[in-house]
Amino acid sequence: MTFLEVRDLSVRFGRRQQAAVSGVGFTLDRGERLGLIGESGSGKSVTALAVMGLLPEYAHVGGSIRVRGRELLGLPERELSRVRGEDVSMVFQEPMTALDPTMRAGRQVAEVLRLHHKSGRARERVLELLERVGLDDAERVADAYPHQLSGGQRQRVCLAMALVNSPDLIIFDEPTTALDVTVQARVLGLIDEMLDAEGAGCLFISHDLAVVSQICDHVMVMLDGGVVEAGPVAQVFERPGHPYTAGLVATARLDLVPPGQRLPTVADFYDRGRP
Ligand SMILES: Nc1ncnc2c1ncn2[C@@H]1O[C@H](COP(=O)(O)OP(=O)(O)OP(=O)(O)O)[C@@H](O)[C@H]1O
Ligand SMILES: [Mg+2]
């Protein structure tokens, strides 16, 4: 059975006429890695939050989101939080907002473990998890408050929390955007290893096409709340089927263009059709 099946997903906020997301559909199986790209405001995060059941109450969500055949839309919050705990987890762009600033890092990991944080076993599991995400000084990190950690360390703590219950799917929303370039590369390497080791699938939101081709096997392109194109990464990036994707790919290759030479813009593709 397909692990995640999203069909004709639509999201509107409050009384706004314009849908933030409409007609979005995709499937994800265990071990599959789907990248999600598209300009700011195109509906990437809203799509991810819908799958997690984390949209605010004033969001009107339509369509269908099934995990192992079970419809999530309309499920009571208690059931949804179980899905979030066990089947699907999420890592956000800004680890500082995902962590509770008033609680030591180790305790936050223990809470997800649902073990009492004062028990010796919880401590042992927490340290084990922190070591697994490359935090060598696990003891010190566990006892620190989030503000006492670096951005990279905080994001590793979030990764540890996302791994706790061996989810089948991890959703990443720009997980390395807030980090320094060198830390970014290391955290990406870690994500790649983690997914492999767990055999977990991912929905990976990024504006960086190079990162998507490093991490993902498939990619979906969003524009104005809809999916304009989807397919294997190599196919979509090498032979984009939609002018918008072609524009994104051209922009991503900016660095490769010799100085003085002008890159085609999205408008060019629309004006003249595909080159
Ligand atoms: N909580 C909210 N209330 C009202 N409108 C929202 C809310 N969250 C998102 N939107 C709107 O939904 C649309 C899609 O937003 P979304 O955050 O999914 O974009 P995105 O593709 O993730 O962009 P970015 O790359 O900047 O993160 C935008 O028009 C945004 O303003
Ligand atoms: Mg977003």
Side-chain angles (χ1 to χ4, degrees):
M1 186 186 288
T2 308
F3 177 73
L4 170 69
E5 183 172 21
V6 175
R7 266 202 233 164
D8 200 24
L9 178 70
S10 69
V11 180
R12 274 188 316 106
F13 288 101
R15 295 187 180 175
R16 229 180 274 174
Q17 285 291 313
Q18 169 97 12
V21 164
S22 71
V24 168
F26 61 93
T27 60
L28 256 174
D29 269 313
R30 213 179 133 71
E32 281 183 349
R33 300 171 173 206
L34 177 64
L36 182 48
I37 61 175
E39 68 189 1
S40 185
S42 58
K44 306 182 296 296
S45 296
V46 169
T47 300
L49 293 170
V51 172
M52 290 296 286
L54 288 175
L55 287 170
E57 283 201 353
Y58 61 90
H60 308 284
V61 187
S64 163
I65 301 172
R66 287 171 187 269
V67 169
R68 290 203 193 87
R70 184 187 192 204
E71 181 61 57
L72 298 192
L73 293 186
L75 272 191
E77 177 52 35
R78 251 190 67 224
E79 299 280 315
L80 273 178
S81 80
R82 184 179 297 166
V83 172
R84 282 198 292 271
E86 290 165 13
D87 298 321
V88 187
S89 63
M90 183 156 175
V91 176
F92 296 90
Q93 172 172 346
E94 188 23 81
M96 206 56 193
T97 55
L99 296 170
D100 182 339
T102 67
M103 212 192 273
R104 293 180 201 273
R107 182 163 165 207
Q108 301 195 46
V109 179
E111 298 239 316
V112 193
L113 273 166
R114 296 193 187 139
L115 288 173
H116 200 283
H117 66 279
K118 285 195 180 129
S119 78
R121 208 174 106 55
R123 175 79 180 175
E124 204 178 296
R125 276 283 283 142
V126 166
L127 295 182
E128 206 179 281
L129 276 161
L130 292 178
E131 274 160 23
R132 201 156 140 228
V133 293
L135 291 161
D136 300 327
D137 43 357
E139 293 262 3
R140 194 186 67 76
V141 172
D143 292 332
Y145 289 97
H147 75 268
Q148 296 170 317
L149 300 171
S150 71
Q153 286 173 321
R154 286 197 286 261
Q155 197 57 301
R156 284 173 197 266
V157 171
C158 292
L159 291 175
M161 287 163 72
L163 277 179
V164 162
N165 296 303
S166 308
D168 290 304
L169 174 66
I170 307 179
I171 300 179
F172 298 92
D173 193 347
E174 305 262 11
T176 59
T177 311
L179 307 175
D180 294 343
V181 180
T182 49
V183 182
Q184 241 178 47
R186 273 186 254 131
V187 170
L188 277 175
L190 172 66
I191 288 174
D192 195 26
E193 277 168 36
M194 264 172 42
L195 290 170
D196 259 348
E198 295 282 321
C202 74
L203 178 65
F204 194 100
I205 300 175
S206 177
H207 62 267
D208 190 331
L209 275 59
V211 167
V212 168
S213 49
Q214 181 190 334
I215 300 284
C216 304
D217 40 65
H218 284 69
V219 63
M220 187 160 85
V221 187
M222 286 187 76
L223 179 65
D224 288 338
V227 175
V228 292
E229 172 162 20
V233 169
Q235 181 192 311
V236 172
F237 288 175
E238 276 158 34
R239 295 182 301 283
H242 191 278
Y244 175 68
T245 316
L248 281 182
V249 172
T251 315
R253 292 196 176 135
L254 243 167
D255 297 345
L256 305 176
V257 175
Q261 201 166 316
R262 181 183 155 282
L263 271 167
T265 63
V266 177
D268 290 335
F269 290 96
Y270 278 112
D271 289 348
R272 290 188 234 125
R274 291 180 59 193

